[in-house]
Amino acid sequence: MPRYLWQVTYSPEGAKGLLSEGGTARRDAITQMVESVGGTVESCYFALGGRDLFVIGDVPDDVAAAALGIRTAASGAARSESVALLTPEQVDDAVRRDAEYRAPGS
């Protein structure tokens, strides 16, 4: 199953909801959402800085990942950026594949 890192930023309304229900309830709601598309959550961390929350998990495919992002954005409470993650073994496979490339100006 493809693995993703979701970087989440709360809107002011989303931050108010977090104040109201707390971090563990939000983690549980995120886990339920990911499981609803056939996925699993590996980790969920709130953060200081430019992003409010980081979630790592697996979902069946890119369409499932898109469904999560669309639902999150439609709520107006948060914006989520999905980053596909690769294992070191997947990178090994990638570097063994031939691909034609011409550098700019070459």
Side-chain angles (χ1 to χ4, degrees):
M1 236 189 298
R3 177 160 290 184
Y4 291 88
L5 163 67
W6 292 283
Q7 302 174 89
V8 181
T9 305
Y10 285 113
S11 69
E13 295 79 20
K16 288 176 188 173
L18 182 61
L19 280 172
S20 171
E21 64 181 36
T24 54
R26 187 80 312 247
R27 179 199 58 211
D28 294 345
I30 291 164
T31 299
Q32 183 178 4
M33 181 176 73
V34 172
E35 289 175 349
S36 76
V37 297
T40 59
V41 170
E42 176 185 301
S43 61
C44 182
Y45 289 97
F46 290 90
L48 304 175
R51 305 277 192 220
D52 299 313
L53 177 70
F54 293 91
V55 178
I56 295 177
D58 301 325
V59 291
D61 52 39
D62 291 338
V63 175
L68 297 176
I70 292 166
R71 296 283 184 222
T72 300
S75 76
R79 188 179 68 77
S80 175
E81 182 180 338
S82 302
V83 177
L85 300 177
L86 301 172
T87 65
E89 292 79 13
Q90 288 172 308
V91 172
D92 289 347
D93 289 345
V95 299
R96 285 192 289 268
R97 289 192 188 188
D98 286 331
E100 291 186 26
Y101 174 74
R102 182 186 63 80
S106 299

